Amino acid sequence: MKFISWNVNGLRAVAGKGFADVFVDLDADFFCLQETKLQAGQIDLEFPGYLSYWNYAEKKGYSGTAIYTKHEPMSVRYGIGIDEHDHEGRAITLEYPDFFLVCAYVPNSQDGLRRLDYRMRWEDDMRAYLSGLPKPVVFCGDLNVAHEEIDLKNPASNRRNAGFTDEERAKFSALLDAGFIDTWRFQHPGEVKYSWWSYRFNARANNAGWRIDYFVVSAALRDRILTTAIHDEITGSDHCPVELVLG
């Protein structure tokens, strides 16, 4: 089974930059999107053979997640069942016979870390949600954290910036300690590759990026991890797609 996750930073925008061709070329069983920035009815973008599920933020043009899938789920959940977190369209869960697929767009702590306290609550609540699901989990999306220094170009100068605070990194460590695997780092322990680049300072041309898009799976799925990839050759967003193949 092939999974793709991509923060498209506005699906309507990326739809005009070859999104449909990328979608077809990648030919995934599950194609998860973050930051769709849509309300219901604002785009008609369906693909033969796929069902789609959408979670829209109440605030227009903000956040939002979606999943296209070739496999009809047993159940669908929008949000994580906590009112504080469930107004921004940040999570979708699809249930299958032997796993749950959770697509998430994790809140950014923002400039000045003004939303860091909220982010900490989100992290604890999401970890509890994932740990409480009664089957193995495939958790993916823009998790808005570079876990280790290897995961961003300039760790020293970004130490207290959103996405690379000690607090956010510790919460990702806590998720792994709760029985989950960072699939890319599991397969590529020393490789440097990024999934997001600022639009400023020619960051992408200089490959001054961050790895903040992930597939994280339950330890029970460890032996099913076949391949992982970061498709930094694919443009159209400030993020690129990331991939997981499970056997």
Side-chain angles (χ1 to χ4, degrees):
M1 291 182 295
K2 183 176 182 179
F3 301 79
I4 294 289
S5 177
W6 193 8
N7 178 324
V8 291
N9 193 11
L11 185 56
R12 285 173 292 178
V14 81
K17 301 176 184 177
F19 174 79
D21 292 336
V22 171
F23 186 98
V24 171
D25 288 345
L26 289 174
D27 190 26
D29 293 273
F30 306 92
F31 205 115
C32 301
L33 304 178
Q34 302 88 43
E35 218 172 348
T36 54
K37 297 184 177 180
L38 291 172
Q39 306 303 124
Q42 287 190 312
I43 198 168
D44 181 13
L45 188 61
E46 297 298 333
F47 295 92
Y50 286 87
L51 302 168
S52 64
Y53 301 89
W54 304 78
N55 194 2
Y56 306 104
E58 292 178 4
K59 179 181 177 181
K60 291 183 178 180
Y62 179 71
S63 189
T65 48
I67 303 177
Y68 288 92
T69 173
K70 292 180 179 179
H71 309 279
E72 185 172 1
M74 299 165 61
S75 68
V76 182
R77 306 182 196 182
Y78 299 99
I80 61 173
I82 296 174
D83 185 70
E84 181 181 23
H85 304 311
D86 287 351
H87 296 274
E88 297 184 349
R90 291 190 177 273
I92 302 174
T93 302
L94 303 186
E95 180 185 4
Y96 292 95
D98 58 347
F99 68 93
F100 285 92
L101 172 61
V102 181
C103 167
Y105 176 39
V106 171
N108 190 298
S109 295
Q110 299 186 347
D111 292 341
L113 303 180
R114 64 184 183 272
R115 217 180 184 198
L116 181 61
D117 289 345
Y118 170 66
R119 168 69 178 269
M120 295 296 97
R121 295 194 299 276
W122 162 281
E123 293 283 354
D124 289 340
D125 291 339
M126 176 57 86
R127 185 174 66 255
Y129 174 75
L130 297 172
S131 297
L133 292 172
K135 299 174 187 177
V137 174
V138 176
F139 176 47
C140 71
D142 175 0
L143 304 192
N144 257 319
V145 60
H147 184 218
E148 302 289 356
E149 291 191 354
I150 193 176
D151 294 317
L152 73 168
K153 179 71 170 182
N154 297 305
S157 61
N158 282 293
R159 180 68 183 275
R160 287 300 294 167
N161 286 343
F164 197 61
T165 63
D166 293 347
E167 295 91 333
E168 291 163 311
R169 296 168 65 194
K171 292 298 186 184
F172 192 87
S173 293
L175 177 62
L176 301 184
D177 290 343
F180 294 89
I181 297 167
D182 172 354
T183 59
W184 165 262
R185 191 55 68 205
F186 173 70
Q187 285 207 319
H188 307 270
E191 186 170 350
V192 174
K193 208 164 188 180
Y194 306 126
S195 67
W196 172 78
W197 304 261
S198 171
Y199 280 131
R200 297 180 294 175
F201 312 122
N202 293 315
R204 190 153 191 174
N206 296 322
N207 200 28
W210 299 45
R211 187 177 72 96
I212 60 175
D213 301 88
Y214 295 82
F215 277 97
V216 173
V217 302
S218 300
L221 297 174
R222 179 191 308 267
D223 293 340
R224 294 179 59 183
I225 300 170
L226 297 182
T227 62
T228 54
I230 297 175
H231 289 286
D232 55 3
E233 77 282 3
I234 293 175
T235 59
S237 169
D238 53 347
H239 296 250
C240 72
V242 296
E243 176 180 324
L244 169 67
V245 178
L246 293 180

